[in-house]
Amino acid sequence: QVVTETLCYYSQNETPINFDEVHVVTGTVGKGLIMDNLLGGPNYFDQYCKDYSINKETILFNESSIHVLKDENDTPLDDIKTVSQNKAAINQVFQIVSNLTEDEDTRLITSVSGGRKTMSVIMGQAMQFFAREQDRIIHVIVENIILSADFYYPTPYEKIVKVKDQEIDFNKVTLYLDELPFIRLRPIVGQLLI
């Protein structure tokens, strides 16, 4: 849900940002949800693109865009539960962010919404080390009542859904986005990062 909410927020903003690629760092459970809901099943990513007249071919987002974290034995993780799994996750997240920030002609907008708080902290730390001036850390927020709904983005048309005995029009849902401040160490540390 965070993926389509983020894409929708930026595409419908006063100064829209269109994404070229989507990368998700997750475990096997998260990958399953993405494959079953965004890229398969109801295919909310396709539906979002259709609803907002976006050519989905312009956004690289497929199974290869999903980075599944692994433990020290190279076994895919369903969750981060132990200290050793946490250390393995740190190394992988840092490597992913390092790779995604190599090209100076790109901008990395990193969402720390959803998932384990540990993952948000790890991602934030990786961004501190590798982010350039143009890179951002963001957090997407929806109204609390929506959290229990099958909500992926505000629709550009009326879509009434019953949520906890309340009728909500998904067209009227507001997405909120916080851009989180952070200290960029890359300009200070430079080549020491390598």
Side-chain angles (χ1 to χ4, degrees):
Q1 294 164 310
V2 169
V3 172
T4 44
E5 289 167 359
T6 302
L7 292 172
C8 189
Y9 177 87
Y10 279 108
S11 71
Q12 301 309 303
N13 204 349
E14 288 178 19
T15 53
I17 294 175
N18 299 309
F19 290 81
D20 297 315
E21 298 181 15
V22 173
H23 292 267
V24 180
V25 181
T26 187
T28 56
V29 173
K31 179 180 179 178
L33 290 170
I34 292 166
M35 297 306 296
D36 292 345
N37 295 293
L38 286 180
L39 300 175
N43 213 320
Y44 288 113
F45 175 67
D46 275 8
Q47 189 59 50
Y48 157 74
C49 290
K50 285 178 194 166
D51 284 347
Y52 284 98
S53 301
I54 296 167
N55 178 359
K56 77 171 196 160
E57 302 303 320
T58 62
I59 304 172
L60 175 65
F61 182 43
N62 55 41
E63 190 170 4
S64 69
S65 306
I66 305 169
H67 307 271
V68 176
L69 297 173
K70 298 176 181 177
D71 68 12
E72 64 276 8
N73 299 315
D74 213 33
T75 304
L77 294 170
D78 61 342
D79 197 355
I80 300 172
K81 300 173 189 166
T82 68
V83 172
S84 64
Q85 290 174 346
N86 193 62
K87 285 181 182 176
I90 290 169
N91 290 334
Q92 291 163 79
V93 170
F94 271 55
Q95 189 60 58
I96 291 164
V97 173
S98 172
N99 292 344
L100 291 173
T101 55
E102 282 180 356
D103 182 353
E104 283 300 322
D105 293 329
T106 62
R107 176 195 290 180
L108 187 61
I109 298 177
T110 305
S111 175
V112 293
S113 305
R116 287 260 184 226
K117 290 179 182 71
T118 308
M119 276 296 296
S120 297
V121 171
I122 294 169
M123 188 60 72
Q125 289 173 330
M127 288 292 287
Q128 279 191 297
F129 279 102
F130 296 104
R132 294 92 26 111
E133 188 57 40
Q134 68 266 30
D135 299 325
R136 303 286 179 260
I137 299 176
I138 56 117
H139 184 243
V140 180
I141 303 166
V142 294
E143 301 161 35
N144 282 340
I145 187 95
I146 297 301
L147 294 176
S148 60
D150 200 24
F151 175 81
Y152 284 80
Y153 57 91
T155 54
Y157 48 82
E158 182 179 88
K159 182 178 180 181
I160 307 294
V161 177
K162 193 164 192 166
V163 181
K164 292 186 177 179
D165 298 327
Q166 185 178 348
E167 287 191 345
I168 295 178
D169 182 355
F170 280 3
N171 174 254
K172 305 271 191 268
V173 173
T174 302
L175 295 173
Y176 301 94
L177 187 133
D178 284 337
E179 191 172 298
L180 307 176
F182 66 102
I183 297 170
R184 291 164 177 81
L185 298 175
R186 185 180 186 138
I188 300 165
V189 180
Q191 287 299 101
L192 290 176
L193 285 172
I194 296 169

